[in-house]
């Protein structure tokens, strides 16, 4: 099955520090999605990356898709307490029909005010 | 939020009893998923459906079965619940149409097997 590894598993930062989480796949991906789950909540879609080398920004969040379409990163600049939660990547292998959706283990971010 | 509801939201059951969780959507999305979430394991795919009566296994399907007799409902059944199936279960829906095919999640069902 699809193997996707997400690191780190946990990250504790002081408010104002930057944060990055990485998602790495053993196979080429058709695209990659990122989700955020607030404590006690459900995952909510953030963004989808499709093209090799793609970079997208949402305010303080920067998303990158690797040139080989096997890895991706989410970077948050100057974290705020509202950034607390778990960030997941989700992938669909390029060779499948596209219905299966597999999530990484997530990175749990805590922000100390 | 997408029209997706899970029921029940909380359930406590005894080991060895059958349990059925329901996922209902009003979006007419083709794909539906069941995930379980446990500390340190993220979201693990149990089963998914790519159409009415079309289902397939995920990475942790042992001990679970599913059924989808109509577009809007996707049922997850634990034939004989075990303590290892204590978890939070999330249903998700997704449409293959359009350029952005994100998954929408239900609120989750917290299941405790005692």
């Amino acid at each position: 099955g699809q193997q996707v590894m997400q690191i780190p598993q946990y990250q504790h930062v002081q408010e104002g520090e930057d944060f990055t989480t990485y998602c790495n796949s053993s196979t080429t991906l058709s695209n990659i999605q990122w989700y955020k789950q607030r404590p006690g909540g459900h995952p909510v879609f953030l963004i989808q990356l499709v093209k090799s080398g793609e970079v997208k920004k949402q305010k303080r969040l920067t998303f990158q898709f690797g040139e080989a379409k096997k890895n991706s990163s989410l970077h948050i600049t100057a974290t705020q307490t509202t950034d607390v939660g778990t960030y997941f990547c989700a992938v669909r292998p390029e060779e499948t029909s596209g219905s299966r959706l597999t999530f990484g283990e997530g990175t749990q971010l805590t922000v100390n005010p | 939020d997408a029209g997706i509801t899970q029921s029940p939201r909380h359930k406590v059951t005894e080991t060895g009893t059958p349990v059925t969780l329901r996922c209902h959507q009003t979006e007419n999305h083709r794909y539906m998923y069941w995930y379980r979430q446990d500390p340190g394991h993220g979201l693990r795919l149990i089963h998914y459906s790519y159409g009415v009566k079309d289902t397939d296994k995920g990475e942790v399907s042992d001990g679970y079965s599913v059924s989808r007799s109509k577009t809007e409902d996707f049922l997850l059944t634990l034939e004989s619940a075990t303590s290892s199936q204590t978890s939070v279960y999330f249903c998700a829906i997704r449409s293959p149409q359009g350029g952005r095919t994100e998954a929408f999640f239900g609120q989750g069902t917290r299941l405790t097997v005692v």
Side-chain angles (χ1 to χ4, degrees), chain A residues 4 17 43:
Chain A
V4 57
E17 292 181 340

Side-chain angles (χ1 to χ4, degrees), chain A residues 83-111:
Chain A
D83 296 324
V84 166
T86 301
Y87 293 84
F88 294 97
C89 60
V91 301
R92 291 187 290 118
E94 193 168 50
E95 67 274 13
T96 70
S97 63
S99 57
R100 185 182 181 113
L101 185 65
T102 303
F103 284 75
E105 293 181 353
T107 296
Q108 186 174 322
L109 172 66
T110 56
V111 180

Side-chain angles (χ1 to χ4, degrees), chain B residues 9 17 21 24 26 28 42 49 59 67 73-74 83 85-86 96 98:
Chain B
R9 293 293 312 280
T17 60
L21 308 183
H24 178 77
T26 58
N28 200 37
S49 170
E59 56 193 298
S67 66
D73 289 325
F74 193 31
S83 58
Q85 294 175 312
T86 292

Side-chain angles (χ1 to χ4, degrees), chain A residues 2 9-10 31 33 35 37 40-48 50 86 88 90 92 97-106, chain B residues 1 31 33 35 37 39-45 48-50 56-59 90 94 99-108:
Chain A
Q2 174 63 38
Q9 189 172 359
Y10 302 97
N31 63 44
Q33 298 177 345
Y35 293 76
Q37 182 179 24
H42 60 278
V44 175
F45 175 82
L46 293 176
I47 208 162
Q48 176 172 286
V50 179
T86 301
F88 294 97
R92 291 187 290 118
S97 63
S99 57
R100 185 182 181 113
L101 185 65
T102 303
F103 284 75
E105 293 181 353
Chain B
D1 284 348
Y31 301 148
Y33 306 83
Y35 295 90
Q37 186 171 36
H41 292 281
L43 291 160
R44 291 184 291 176
L45 182 63
Y48 64 101
S49 170
Y50 45 95
D56 204 349
K57 296 179 180 180
E59 56 193 298
F90 284 101
R94 191 169 72 89
R100 201 175 87 173
T101 60
E102 70 264 40
F104 299 93
F105 282 80
Q107 299 297 314

Side-chain angles (χ1 to χ4, degrees), chain A residues 63-84:
Chain A
F63 303 84
Q64 288 188 296
F65 202 8
E67 294 290 340
K69 299 182 74 173
K70 288 187 176 182
N71 55 72
S72 180
S73 64
L74 158 58
H75 179 82
I76 301 179
T77 303
T79 55
Q80 300 175 358
T81 54
T82 55
D83 296 324
V84 166

Side-chain angles (χ1 to χ4, degrees), chain B residues 43-101:
Chain B
L43 291 160
R44 291 184 291 176
L45 182 63
I46 305 172
H47 282 279
Y48 64 101
S49 170
Y50 45 95
V52 173
K53 297 186 178 180
D54 290 324
T55 65
D56 204 349
K57 296 179 180 180
E59 56 193 298
V60 289
S61 59
D62 288 348
Y64 302 93
S65 62
V66 290
S67 66
R68 191 170 179 199
S69 59
K70 47 187 178 179
T71 300
E72 56 265 38
D73 289 325
F74 193 31
L75 304 180
L76 176 70
T77 297
L78 291 66
E79 302 292 346
S80 177
T82 67
S83 58
S84 64
Q85 294 175 312
T86 292
S87 187
V88 178
Y89 291 85
F90 284 101
C91 174
I93 61 175
R94 191 169 72 89
S95 172
Q97 274 84 37
R100 201 175 87 173
T101 60

